[in-house]
Amino acid sequence: MSTAPMTMGRCAELRSSRHALRAEQATVRWWRRLVQARLDLAVAGIAMPGPLGEAVALLPGGAPCPEPPRPLELHGATRGGMSPAAPSQLPALRDLDERLARYEHSVCDALDQVTEDLIQALAIDPAAGLRERPEAPRPI
């Protein structure tokens, strides 16, 4: 019995799994960026830095410092219409980010394994990768 039909089906299956895992990896990374950005904003809202321009009047070389944005402008831009985060929200945001990190790690491990399996299958039958194409991954 020839291994070509079995390998061809296996390659198509592995490529499909790999595409699905890459799409899932992109989605979980997107969610992590959103959660991390929210966490950064929550921390910044609680421990807002001081106003700009109070300690610097001249740049190196004696050039005058341009006028920095006013604190009210900076606060408005960094709040983005969201209510300020309470310190009590930080543990939940950190926990969410840690859970997303663990999930991302498992997706990356699965993607690495499927990629290895695909490489091994293509080593057995290199043409199998050209015979069948998996469906395109879903957009984020």
Side-chain angles (χ1 to χ4, degrees):
M1 180 175 164
S2 169
T3 60
M6 184 173 68
T7 303
M8 184 176 75
R10 177 77 174 139
C11 285
E13 176 187 319
L14 289 169
R15 289 180 78 155
S16 180
S17 293
R18 190 168 182 279
H19 279 282
L21 285 165
R22 284 175 51 97
E24 190 70 8
Q25 180 184 50
T27 302
V28 72
R29 284 182 175 170
W30 181 262
W31 277 112
R32 283 203 69 208
R33 284 193 305 270
L34 289 175
V35 169
Q36 288 168 352
R38 183 63 178 112
L39 183 57
D40 289 345
L41 286 173
V43 169
I46 293 165
M48 199 55 84
L52 297 172
E54 290 184 348
V56 180
L58 294 176
L59 295 173
C65 229
E67 186 176 333
R70 294 184 322 275
L72 197 55
E73 292 175 282
L74 293 169
H75 286 259
T78 56
R79 300 280 176 160
M82 295 186 301
S83 62
S88 62
Q89 291 176 308
L90 295 178
L93 285 168
R94 285 191 178 109
D95 177 65
L96 180 58
D97 182 53
E98 288 171 11
R99 290 182 4 238
L100 282 167
R102 284 192 301 272
Y103 178 68
E104 179 183 21
H105 184 73
S106 68
V107 169
C108 290
D109 285 349
L111 177 59
D112 289 346
Q113 184 59 55
V114 168
T115 300
E116 276 298 314
D117 292 348
L118 178 60
I119 290 168
Q120 288 178 4
L122 289 172
I124 293 169
D125 181 11
L130 301 174
R131 288 192 286 265
E132 255 186 71
R133 291 282 186 193
E135 63 184 60
R138 61 184 162 80
I140 297 175

